[in-house]
Structures are given as structure tokens and as C-alpha cells.
């Protein structure tokens, strides 16, 4: 029996649901321990529905899920603050429940967006590296996979996901880059 233990950060979005599906298939074959963590940022009015979606999914596939809550006041850099809090929770859960690895579902499109943002923000050299696939026990196995490939996998496997409405909020810098700035840059090449 494989003694390795994994914690997946499950947002309920298309990316994390695809990774959950892959891990569940591998779990059947290799019999490792797998748990989910869902962090409710309480950022939009559908956040509780998203949490319920993730909880129900975990129940349906018989996987333990850790449900965590975050609340925010007005923060100028919400994305950075939320990321710091999220990874703090994931690391705390990983230590408490003895997980060897933490998985997140960052993908190639996330990497491109990050590199675009760090380039135009004149970031320091360490941030210009972009999203790293391995940091300590953190693993990002989809980092070389495009969003389109992930959507194709979801469609082929007839999987459900929860579409976060805040992904369309153009006041969030990453969303503005994703929906407005990068398409212009790509069309200019």
C-alpha cells in the first residue's frame, strides 16, 4: 500500500476539478491517501454555493474535505493577500494531517498571465521566473497544460465544475490581463 499522502486545493473551478478527476483515477490504481481543501474566500454572493458544490463532490467520491473560511476588509491587492492566506491554510492543513504533497491546479495560461504581469510591473528577478512547478511540498502538475486542453479533458470526461463569477470581474488585475490585455498582445504578433 502506498503511504504517500496528497492534499488538493479544490476551488471547484474547471482546473481543480480536472486535477481532482486525474488524482481520483490514479488513487484507484496506486491506493494513496488523498484529501481536498476548499477555501471559501467569501468574495462574491455565490461563494457559499461554490463551497457546497465542492463539499458535495467530495462526499460523492468519498474523499475527506477540509472547508476553510476567509473574510476580507477592503484590500488594495486582494489577489496577493488572498494567495498568502490560502497557502498559509494549505501548509497548516498539510502539516496537521501529515500530507507529503500539496497540489494546486495552476496551468500554462496562468503562467503566461503571471509572466505578462510581472514583465509590465517591472518585478524583481525572482518574480519574473513565474509560477514554479515545485516549491517545497507544493506541486503544480498542470503547469505545462493549456486551459483549452483542460477544458477538452473536462468535456471528454463529462465533469461538472463551478464557474466563479469573479473571474469576469475586470477590476481584478489578472482578469483584466486575461480578458483584455493578453488578447490584444496576441493579436499584435
Amino acid at each position: 500500500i502506498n503511504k504517500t499522502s496528497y492534499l488538493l486545493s479544490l476551488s471547484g473551478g474547471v482546473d481543480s476539478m480536472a486535477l481532482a478527476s486525474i488524482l481520483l483515477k490514479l488513487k484507484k490504481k496506486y491506493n494513496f491517501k488523498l484529501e481536498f481543501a476548499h477555501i471559501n474566500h467569501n468574495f462574491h454572493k455565490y461563494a457559499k454555493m461554490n463551497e457546497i458544490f465542492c463539499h458535495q463532490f467530495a462526499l460523492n467520491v468519498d474523499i475527506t474535505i477540509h472547508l476553510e473560511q476567509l473574510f476580507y476588509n477592503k484590500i488594495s491587492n486582494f489577489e496577493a493577500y488572498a494567495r498568502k492566506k490560502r497557502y498559509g491554510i494549505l501548509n497548516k492543513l498539510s502539516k496537521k494531517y501529515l500530507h507529503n504533497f500539496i497540489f494546486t491546479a495552476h496551468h500554462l495560461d496562468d503562467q503566461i498571465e503571471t509572466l505578462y504581469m510581472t514583465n509590465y510591473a517591472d518585478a524583481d528577478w525572482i518574480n519574473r521566473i513565474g509560477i514554479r512547478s515545485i516549491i517545497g511540498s507544493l506541486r503544480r502538475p498542470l503547469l505545462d497544460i493549456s486551459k483549452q486542453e483542460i477544458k477538452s479533458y473536462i468535456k471528454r470526461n463529462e465533469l461538472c465544475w463551478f464557474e466563479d463569477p469573479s473571474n469576469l470581474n475586470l477590476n481584478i488585475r489578472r482578469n483584466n490581463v486575461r480578458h483584455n490585455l493578453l488578447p490584444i498582445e496576441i493579436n499584435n504578433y
Side-chain angles (χ1 to χ4, degrees):
I1 295 177
N2 191 325
K3 299 293 183 193
T4 307
S5 177
Y6 301 93
L7 178 65
L8 171 63
S9 180
L10 186 73
S11 70
V14 66
D15 314 323
S16 71
M17 294 305 290
L19 185 51
S21 167
I22 292 164
L23 289 171
L24 288 166
K25 289 176 183 179
L26 291 171
K27 183 182 183 322
K28 281 184 183 176
K29 184 173 182 178
Y30 296 107
N31 196 31
F32 52 77
K33 180 182 173 189
L34 175 63
E35 293 185 349
F36 299 149
H38 175 76
I39 300 164
N40 183 345
H41 291 276
N42 293 289
F43 188 65
H44 54 77
K45 66 181 181 178
Y46 301 106
K48 189 64 178 176
M49 287 174 54
N50 188 9
E51 178 184 318
I52 292 167
F53 171 81
C54 290
H55 186 234
Q56 190 59 54
F57 173 74
L59 289 174
N60 290 345
V61 295
D62 195 29
I63 297 291
T64 298
I65 188 167
H66 305 280
L67 302 172
E68 298 287 332
Q69 303 286 320
L70 288 175
F71 297 92
Y72 305 92
N73 294 322
K74 297 274 183 190
I75 298 167
S76 61
N77 191 344
F78 168 78
E79 187 178 5
Y81 184 79
R83 180 174 48 250
K84 181 179 177 183
K85 290 291 192 182
R86 186 169 53 249
Y87 284 113
I89 289 170
L90 291 171
N91 283 312
K92 181 177 147 190
L93 288 170
S94 180
K95 286 178 185 165
K96 182 176 181 180
Y97 295 102
L98 305 175
H99 298 292
N100 302 97
F101 299 101
I102 301 167
F103 283 151
T104 67
H106 291 91
H107 50 79
L108 183 59
D109 295 45
D110 293 325
Q111 180 74 289
I112 293 167
E113 292 162 6
T114 298
L115 292 171
Y116 180 90
M117 289 188 299
T118 57
N119 184 52
Y120 283 93
D122 199 27
D124 61 16
W125 71 270
I126 194 74
N127 286 317
R128 286 181 185 238
I129 293 170
I131 302 171
R132 287 163 277 184
S133 60
I134 298 173
I135 302 174
S137 65
L138 178 64
R139 300 293 187 270
R140 296 178 174 118
L142 302 181
L143 207 50
D144 294 328
I145 310 295
S146 74
K147 181 81 164 197
Q148 189 54 50
E149 290 172 294
I150 292 169
K151 287 180 177 178
S152 294
Y153 175 86
I154 287 282
K155 188 175 182 179
R156 275 193 319 275
N157 289 276
E158 299 177 344
L159 301 175
C160 295
W161 72 93
F162 189 92
E163 192 64 44
D164 182 343
S166 70
N167 287 336
L168 299 175
N169 181 347
L170 299 181
N171 292 321
I172 297 173
R173 191 174 92 172
R174 180 173 294 276
N175 293 341
N176 189 41
V177 167
R178 178 180 300 144
H179 297 294
N180 291 329
L181 302 176
L182 266 178
I184 291 169
E185 291 285 333
I186 291 168
N187 287 332
N188 286 336
Y189 279 108

